Amino acid sequence: MAEDYDYDLFTIGAGSGGVRASRVAASHGARVAAAEEFRVGGTCVIRGCVPKKMLVYGSMFAEELGHAQNLGWTIEGKSFGWATLRDFVNADVDRLEGLYGQTLANHEVEVFAERATITGPHSVRLSSGREVTAKYILVATGARPAMPQFPGVEHCISSNEVFHLARQPQCLMVVGGGYIAMEFAGIFNALGSEVTVVNRTDRILRSYDEQIVDRMLHIAMGRGIDFRMHSQIKSVEKDADGCLQVDLGGARPVAVDQILIATGRSPNTEGLGLENAAIELGKGGEIPVDEYNRTSCDSIYAVGDVTDRVQLTPVAIREGHAFADTVFGGKPRTIDYSAIPSAVFSQPPLAGVGLTEAEARRVHGDVKVYSSDFRPMKNIFSEHPERGLYKMIVDETSEKILGIHMIGPEAPEILQVAAVAVKAGLTKQAFDDTVALHPSMAEELVLLK
């Protein structure tokens, strides 16, 4: 690498994509430094999917304990303490942050715990005032919660703050119709909070199969979540006792003690100095890149949620790895964004891979839909008659599987394996030829009619 620069690579942002790119580049022999102004680990590890999934696990105990008696268990004096769960989750986040930092240290990546801004195609300035040069710069600053503008929005919180609440809200309003909104609505509903979901349209989880989403909505309503569709917050006023009065445009305001805004995420590009390298942003503030993660400036690359592609942690990790292999490993490669599995850890969870039924009909015309609508065995112990639903969308001519979508207990765990079949281009016959594993929920995938 050129000795004219302080480093071969300077990474701005030490989240999942930035950490992977930095350590792989270092393993290829590059001299690497990274700047992180908050905490090493990024959104997923610090205040996103990892701690959120822990809260999901904690909240699921409420339902399990609810029908424990039918399983022969007598549990006396049961109670829930939000502070205990919150503190345990945050302690494990601290542990994971340490592991991420150790990974960088083990690969001799120098970490600056401060903000860095771009001053040119090969230079950055740290908040301490130090100027650093690098042959290549990688932007991996991720995204942040997008907050709408209305009077009283300062009384609301985002997903960043929800992990640190001093008390569990008794009445929670969740604003949004995406996966973050649905997951936190499910968590606090299961923990006993009164939950209202406010969404500006009549659709939630737009990227998922409509039939699966409809089933989730029906189950969520049956569990007591109140959905206010075609609604938007006009204003919020805080009473002297801390109660929040929410104006939704109706005759009377809705009183809650916490409002969680989950209406999307915005790329962290503000004040990053990209204009100093003649890099223009997209209409949403994202950084446009080519298939090799390169921006319009040849020496600056970007990966993860700060770009205009798929906002998922595993995708950011793959992009970071591909960047390092391409630029420093002599192995140019790109990412295939087709058939990426995803899940919503609602209660019950839903998951999908490939085309939804609507997308498949729009793209391929004639398709076959196979499904199984069943009551999972574990649900017979519950008072809720909730049913699972698995769907397989198949091209009518070739019988190639175009998509698999499901809702039910452990759906994401089952879907991950099924996603391999979709990615590999298998046909439904391959599933039909596979012997069922009985009794299991997963066997429904090889028994679809």
Side-chain angles (χ1 to χ4, degrees):
M1 298 298 174
E3 296 295 333
D4 295 336
Y5 302 103
D6 297 321
Y7 301 97
D8 301 313
L9 170 65
F10 194 97
T11 301
I12 304 178
S16 297
V19 168
R20 176 61 66 89
S22 296
R23 76 162 181 83
V24 174
S27 70
H28 288 314
R31 297 168 297 140
V32 183
E36 173 54 59
E37 64 178 315
F38 183 55
R39 299 177 67 180
V40 173
T43 296
C44 181
V45 172
I46 304 301
R47 52 192 180 189
C49 43
V50 171
K52 182 173 56 183
K53 185 68 178 292
M54 293 185 203
L55 292 183
V56 170
Y57 282 135
S59 67
M60 286 172 60
F61 270 93
E63 181 183 4
E64 300 294 335
L65 291 173
H67 44 77
Q69 185 174 346
N70 291 333
L71 290 162
W73 293 92
T74 299
I75 302 174
E76 299 178 356
K78 62 182 180 181
S79 63
F80 172 72
W82 162 255
T84 301
L85 175 60
R86 177 202 63 204
D87 293 348
F88 179 88
V89 169
N90 286 321
D92 204 60
V93 167
D94 292 341
R95 179 185 67 85
L96 292 172
E97 181 186 13
L99 292 177
Y100 270 66
Q102 189 60 51
T103 294
L104 292 175
N106 290 343
H107 287 80
E108 299 182 346
V109 175
E110 186 172 0
V111 178
F112 296 95
E114 52 187 308
R115 181 176 176 81
T117 55
I118 295 170
T119 56
H122 298 281
S123 59
V124 301
R125 178 182 295 115
L126 300 173
S127 58
S128 61
R130 178 179 173 180
E131 291 276 352
V132 176
T133 61
K135 184 175 183 180
Y136 296 101
I137 297 171
L138 175 67
V139 180
T141 49
R144 65 186 184 281
M147 298 295 284
Q149 295 300 311
F150 54 78
V153 69
E154 68 273 12
H155 302 308
C156 305
I157 64 171
S158 73
S159 56
N160 285 353
E161 295 80 40
V162 73
F163 299 104
H164 305 282
L165 292 175
R167 293 175 299 277
Q168 177 188 343
Q170 296 306 302
C171 296
L172 172 68
M173 178 174 287
V174 180
V175 182
Y179 71 95
I180 296 175
M182 294 304 103
E183 289 172 342
F184 279 116
I187 287 168
F188 285 100
N189 169 256
L191 293 177
S193 299
E194 182 179 319
V195 177
T196 300
V197 174
V198 173
N199 190 40
R200 63 184 178 85
T201 70
D202 62 351
R203 287 282 309 279
I204 59 174
L205 302 174
R206 289 178 172 273
S207 62
Y208 289 87
D209 187 88
E210 288 186 40
Q211 190 178 4
I212 299 294
V213 172
D214 286 345
R215 177 64 56 88
M216 191 280 289
L217 184 60
H218 177 77
I219 291 174
M221 292 172 65
R223 292 192 178 198
I225 298 178
D226 179 21
F227 286 85
R228 305 287 186 94
M229 301 299 193
H230 293 294
S231 297
Q232 286 183 278
I233 294 181
K234 307 297 182 183
S235 65
V236 175
E237 293 186 2
K238 188 173 185 178
D239 293 342
D241 62 358
C243 181
L244 301 177
Q245 302 291 338
V246 186
D247 180 6
L248 294 177
R252 299 178 59 183
V254 178
V256 298
D257 54 2
Q258 195 67 256
I259 303 170
L260 169 62
I261 304 294
T263 53
R265 297 178 64 79
S266 301
N268 280 323
T269 52
E270 187 176 350
L272 198 55
L274 292 163
E275 68 278 3
N276 295 322
I279 297 174
E280 295 184 3
L281 301 178
K283 61 180 181 179
E286 75 280 3
I287 301 176
V289 294
D290 66 12
E291 60 182 336
Y292 290 101
N293 305 292
R294 184 170 46 215
T295 70
S296 56
C297 177
D298 288 344
S299 59
I300 299 180
Y301 291 69
V303 298
D305 293 359
V306 76
T307 69
D308 55 352
R309 298 170 296 186
V310 180
Q311 291 193 344
L312 289 172
T313 296
V315 174
I317 290 172
R318 289 199 169 211
E319 289 172 350
H321 202 136
F323 155 77
D325 283 348
T326 298
V327 177
F328 299 102
K331 297 177 291 186
R333 62 188 185 90
T334 60
I335 302 300
D336 180 3
Y337 294 94
S338 65
I340 296 174
S342 63
V344 180
F345 294 99
S346 50
Q347 299 188 31
L350 59 90
V353 63
L355 300 180
T356 64
E357 180 179 347
E359 290 170 341
R361 293 190 185 282
R362 187 165 57 249
V363 174
H364 294 269
D366 295 328
V367 298
K368 294 179 181 178
V369 179
Y370 300 88
S371 64
S372 177
D373 191 330
F374 64 100
R375 188 178 186 186
M377 183 182 292
K378 69 174 297 184
N379 282 1
I380 68 173
F381 297 100
S382 171
E383 297 178 356
H384 302 292
E386 297 173 355
R387 300 181 66 82
L389 176 62
Y390 292 1
K391 290 180 64 174
M392 180 182 289
I393 294 91
V394 175
D395 181 77
E396 188 170 54
T397 302
S398 66
E399 285 285 316
K400 179 181 177 180
I401 301 170
L402 303 175
I404 296 177
H405 309 276
M406 56 179 63
I407 181 171
E410 309 301 336
E413 306 294 339
I414 298 169
L415 190 279
Q416 175 66 84
V417 179
V420 177
V422 178
K423 189 70 173 178
L426 299 185
T427 65
K428 184 177 184 298
Q429 191 63 47
F431 279 73
D432 294 341
D433 292 341
T434 303
V435 176
L437 192 161
H438 181 76
S440 71
M441 292 177 289
E443 71 178 309
E444 297 297 329
L445 282 175
V446 300
L447 302 173
L448 294 171
K449 302 296 184 183

